[in-house]
Amino acid sequence: LKWVPIGDVDHAHVQISADLAFTAVIRDDDSVVGREWTPSTLSNGTYYWQVRSYGTGGPWTDWSDPGSFRVVTTVPARQKLDDSRELF
């Protein structure tokens, strides 16, 4: 996940949820340094994320508008060539 921070940012707080209301937060990291973050492995499905920043000497900003992404890790089905050999 990547974002553009506003102002002088010390670190960020990122949340990932299975629902848009963030009542089912499944990843929560409030010590992210930089402008991007890669969550640990997630199951197939649609997820929502939001970020807020902490400026040097200042309070947390409001949460960003939520974004969404989808994880798909299915294995493709086998296919056969005309000569009946199987492909993966």
Side-chain angles (χ1 to χ4, degrees), residues 39-72:
S40 56
T41 305
L42 297 167
S43 300
N44 289 347
T46 299
Y47 297 94
Y48 302 91
W49 71 285
Q50 61 185 2
V51 63
R52 63 182 180 168
S53 300
Y54 187 86
T56 305
W60 286 106
T61 63
D62 292 334
W63 286 106
S64 66
D65 290 336
S68 66
F69 63 95
R70 184 174 170 96
V71 174
V72 180

Side-chain angles (χ1 to χ4, degrees), residues 5-11 53-59 61:
I6 298 174
D8 186 21
V9 175
D10 184 50
H11 61 279
S53 300
Y54 187 86
T56 305
T61 63

Side-chain angles (χ1 to χ4, degrees), residues 7 11 13 15 21 33 56 61 74 87:
H11 61 279
H13 184 182
Q15 290 184 333
V33 177
T56 305
T61 63
T74 57
L87 294 178

